[in-house]
Every structure is written in structure tokens, then in C-alpha cells.
Amino acid sequence: MCIFCKIVNGEIPNNTVLENEEFLAFEDINPQAKIHTIVIPKVHVESFNNVSSAIMNNITPFIQEVTKKLNVNSDGYRLITNIGNHGGQEVPHSHFHILAGEPLRGLVNRA
Ligand code: 5GP
Ligand code: ZN
């Protein structure tokens, strides 16, 4: 069973930000910004390659709810999903990173 499935079933503890029947948002263990939250579907899906349109349809308002709860909507945030080897995906359970809480620099920010 993958690390994130173990988080879903409670084998590995997490700091939950928000949860519903389908999705879980929790604090990243190794934050890359002042706020770093991971959002996952509770069902095991290996990567964005395998995510259904039904999951995407429902995860969108869930992520928006998480960003409201984190209070980052007006200052902004970055939403990232790493896919596979070249994408730098380490955990083989599809997830979105929400990075926020400070101005972000990086690959997709050429400022
Ligand atoms: P990836 O590189 O796959 O896109 O991102 C995986 C993320 O999961 C990393 O940012 C890493 O810090 C986080 N992570 C890995 N294991 C755990 C864990 O056991 N608990 C939590 N909260 N985050 C984890
Ligand atoms: Zn999994």
C-alpha cells in the first residue's frame, strides 16, 4: 500500500486541513513554502495520467475550499501536480501541491 493510502486509512498520522468523503488535504511533511498543503483523492490513483474527469470535477471545488480555509485566495498560491519520473513525482498516488504564504520563485516563475 502506498504512503498516501496509509495516510488515508490512518496508519500514518497527518495534520489534516480539510476532508470529505472523496478527498483529503493535509500539511506536507517537508514544506517547500510557508504553507504547503497536499490534496489527494482517497481512492488510489497512480498519477494525473490516470485521474478521471469525475475526480477532476469534484476536486476543483474541494481545492478551492482548502485555499479559502488556508486564507490564501487574495494573496495567491501555486497549484502543482508532478507526474512521473521527469515530473519529479515521488509518491505514486496522484496529488496536488498548494504552495502559499509568501512570494514563490521557481521554474514556472520567470520573474
Ligand atoms: P511529489 O514529489 O510526489 O510530487 O510529492 C510528494 C510530497 O509528499 C513531498 O512534498 C513530500 O514531502 C510529501 N510526503 C512524503 N511522505 C509524506 C508523509 O508521510 N506525510 C506527509 N504529510 N507528507 C509526505
Ligand atoms: Zn495510494
Side-chain angles (χ1 to χ4, degrees):
M1 188 183 289
C2 90
I3 293 173
F4 286 174
C5 281
K6 286 182 181 168
I7 286 177
V8 169
N9 75 18
E11 263 183 72
I12 297 175
N14 75 91
N15 291 329
T16 298
V17 175
L18 193 68
E19 180 173 16
N20 68 15
E21 315 80 61
E22 263 190 295
F23 305 110
L24 176 66
F26 55 93
E27 292 172 6
D28 196 290
I29 204 169
N30 181 23
Q32 301 299 308
K34 281 186 183 158
I35 295 173
H36 188 169
T37 300
I38 299 283
V39 180
I40 62 172
K42 289 186 174 178
V43 61
H44 182 85
V45 180
E46 191 170 319
S47 87
F48 185 77
N49 285 335
N50 315 100
V51 168
S52 67
S53 53
I55 286 179
M56 287 310 295
N57 187 63
N58 294 345
I59 206 169
T60 300
F62 182 79
I63 290 171
Q64 289 165 342
E65 214 183 316
V66 172
T67 62
K68 271 184 209 152
K69 188 154 187 197
L70 294 170
N71 199 25
V72 299
N73 277 3
S74 58
D75 284 338
Y77 55 93
R78 190 170 291 159
L79 185 63
I80 296 173
T81 186
N82 298 322
I83 298 140
N85 194 22
H86 286 190
Q89 182 179 4
E90 286 174 2
V91 177
H93 181 131
S94 186
H95 53 280
F96 289 89
H97 298 256
I98 298 169
L99 295 157
E102 60 186 321
L104 300 166
R105 302 264 176 267
L107 271 180
V108 289
N109 182 346
R110 294 169 194 277

